[in-house]
Amino acid sequence: MEASLGSDFARALAAKDPGRLRELVHPAIDFRGLTPSRAWEASDPDELTSLLLDEWFADKDEIVGVESIESDVVSDRERVGYRFSVTNPDGDFLVEQQAYLEEREGRICWMRVVCSGFRPS
């Protein structure tokens, strides 16, 4: 497994790049995420991209900076943590997510994400 797959995902998410996100995700993705208010699931790249860019980081949410990206390997899974500076009509925020993922054929096939929510900065 390449330790950079999760970092590539974080950078594509920060750039809000739907094409790159789809490239990084296996067609048979098994995704689950947890935000402060709800649990989320996706089972294909289009569904996941829509969830990430329409629900988690909507048009009004401008990701203005990547504060950090950390990646490591935990046995057969990659762990990536990333923190973004985000601004929207409600103010300026920090958003941190921790993700665990598995790779198949060079793409993310299994992913679990926990999100801090939008925290005032």
Side-chain angles (χ1 to χ4, degrees):
M1 174 186 337
E2 291 186 28
S4 65
L5 191 57
S7 299
D8 289 347
F9 175 86
R11 286 184 190 90
L13 181 57
K16 292 181 146 185
D17 183 341
R20 182 66 178 137
L21 287 167
R22 285 185 194 96
E23 287 175 2
L24 291 168
V25 175
H26 193 276
I29 181 71
D30 176 356
F31 176 89
R32 291 197 178 116
L34 184 62
T35 60
S37 61
R38 121 171 222 212
W40 305 80
E41 293 185 17
S43 58
D44 68 58
D46 290 334
E47 185 179 25
L48 178 57
T49 300
S50 178
L51 183 158
L52 296 171
L53 301 182
D54 296 335
E55 301 285 340
W56 284 14
F57 296 103
D59 286 343
K60 67 180 174 94
D61 302 315
E62 181 184 354
I63 299 173
V64 295
V66 176
E67 299 299 319
S68 66
I69 298 176
E70 300 174 341
S71 180
D72 200 357
V73 175
V74 181
S75 185
D76 61 340
R77 292 192 173 142
E78 181 182 350
R79 179 199 64 81
V80 63
Y82 43 93
R83 184 178 304 145
F84 301 150
S85 295
V86 179
T87 189
N88 65 33
D90 296 324
D92 297 328
F93 301 92
L94 289 175
V95 177
E96 183 174 291
Q97 297 183 341
Q98 295 292 319
Y100 296 89
L101 58 105
E102 292 180 8
E103 173 268 335
R104 182 185 326 149
E105 300 166 357
R107 299 167 118 185
I108 299 167
C109 65
W110 181 95
M111 188 175 215
R112 300 297 183 264
V113 178
V114 176
C115 181
S116 67
F118 283 59
R119 309 310 314 151
S121 63

